[in-house]
């Protein structure tokens, strides 16, 4: 059973930055579509950003375009989410996911594997 593990969450002020990382074990990293999803209490989990296996195709939630960047290092087998100019509405539990439902202009669940998540809190 594959294991995914996130790191890099924390508490920041609006306008701050964080970089999330995710490692994946027991799967061939370079073959996996990957994504970052966000959960907020009382709301459905939704995709924030997704990336193809090659890294050439990316999807972003409209609300994060221009502020967040998803990337991957297939040699080091790490997935990243660089988050700049953070806003309070970006607060949530961020989970990485392997094999989400991802085509060029859409990304969502279900996904085959999930990490347990890392909390991001942006407070005024």
């Amino acid at each position: 059973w594959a294991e995914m593990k996130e790191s890099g969450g924390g508490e920041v002020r609006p306008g701050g930055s964080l970089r999330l990382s995710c490692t994946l074990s027991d799967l061939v990293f370079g073959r996996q579509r990957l994504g970052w999803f966000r959960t907020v209490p009382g709301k459905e989990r939704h995709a924030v950003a997704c990336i193809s296996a090659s890294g050439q195709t990316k999807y972003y939630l409209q609300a994060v375009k221009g502020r967040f960047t998803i990337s991957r290092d297939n040699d080091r087998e790490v997935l990243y989410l660089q988050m700049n100019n953070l806003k309070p509405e970006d607060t949530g539990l961020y989970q990485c996911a392997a094999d989400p439902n991802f085509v060029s202009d859409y990304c969502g669940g279900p996904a085959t594997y999930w990490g347990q998540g890392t909390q991001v809190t942006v407070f005024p």
Side-chain angles (χ1 to χ4, degrees):
W1 187 259
E3 181 176 352
M4 305 186 75
K5 185 171 179 61
E6 305 90 343
S7 61
E11 296 183 350
V12 296
R13 297 284 188 180
S17 297
L18 288 172
R19 188 175 80 157
L20 306 184
S21 300
C22 173
T23 57
L24 171 64
S25 63
D26 296 334
L27 283 179
V28 180
F29 184 90
R31 294 180 184 173
Q32 304 299 318
R33 296 169 296 177
L34 300 170
W36 288 98
F37 286 69
R38 179 170 69 205
T39 303
V40 178
K43 296 186 179 180
E44 290 187 3
R45 179 168 55 191
H46 59 266
V48 173
C50 297
I51 189 168
S52 62
S54 68
Q56 292 186 337
T57 304
K58 300 178 183 181
Y59 161 88
Y60 292 99
L61 181 69
Q62 182 65 38
V64 308
K65 284 183 179 179
R67 301 188 295 120
F68 290 13
T69 302
I70 188 171
S71 63
R72 62 191 296 160
D73 185 332
N74 283 352
D75 291 332
R76 296 183 178 181
E77 299 188 341
V78 184
L79 172 71
Y80 300 103
L81 184 67
Q82 178 66 44
M83 304 187 294
N84 297 329
N85 190 21
L86 282 159
K87 303 177 180 181
E89 53 264 40
D90 296 321
T91 294
L93 181 70
Y94 284 72
Q95 295 173 275
C96 56
D99 193 25
N101 180 15
F102 175 38
V103 293
S104 60
D105 58 354
Y106 172 80
C107 188
T112 304
Y113 300 104
W114 296 91
Q116 293 200 350
T118 186
Q119 179 68 32
V120 172
T121 302
V122 186
F123 55 93

